[in-house]
Amino acid sequence: MKPCHNCQAAIDEYLLDKQLEPLRDLTVDDFHLCTDCVTVVADACVECGGGVYVPRNTTTTPDICPACRSDRIERTGHDHGWKLDAPSH
């Protein structure tokens, strides 16, 4: 068992896998947070309609799921973050 990067508790992989079901193509190995430190918001990704995960200490819900963010980075070579609004320069 790996420790949660947020609270250092042991990650229960079975519970986390169940919680991550709305996120396409992701498994517990893609996360380093326990189920107590993350919540999944189903149908919140504006690109694919899939789920997004939100660390419990974050107050805003991301616009893009981890899979779409990864796809976008591969396509553009840039990481625009979890929100679609571009940062002002």
Side-chain angles (χ1 to χ4, degrees):
M1 290 185 147
K2 297 177 184 176
C4 173
H5 283 201
N6 190 45
C7 72
Q8 300 305 310
I11 297 173
D12 184 325
E13 294 182 9
Y14 176 77
L15 291 177
L16 187 57
D17 271 339
K18 288 293 180 191
Q19 188 169 338
L20 296 176
E21 283 181 18
L23 301 175
R24 65 180 170 101
D25 301 327
L26 297 175
T27 68
V28 69
D29 293 328
D30 297 306
F31 291 84
H32 299 288
L33 297 168
C34 68
T35 56
D36 290 333
C37 290
V38 71
T39 188
V40 174
V41 179
D43 306 324
C45 180
V46 297
E47 291 194 8
C48 72
V52 299
Y53 79 95
V54 184
R56 292 206 193 271
N57 59 353
T58 302
T59 57
T60 59
T61 300
D63 293 329
I64 303 171
C65 72
C68 287
R69 183 180 184 195
S70 177
D71 291 346
R72 184 178 282 237
I73 292 168
E74 285 181 21
R75 282 192 324 267
T76 67
H78 299 288
D79 183 2
H80 298 284
W82 296 107
K83 300 297 263 175
L84 287 179
D85 297 325
S88 59
H89 294 283

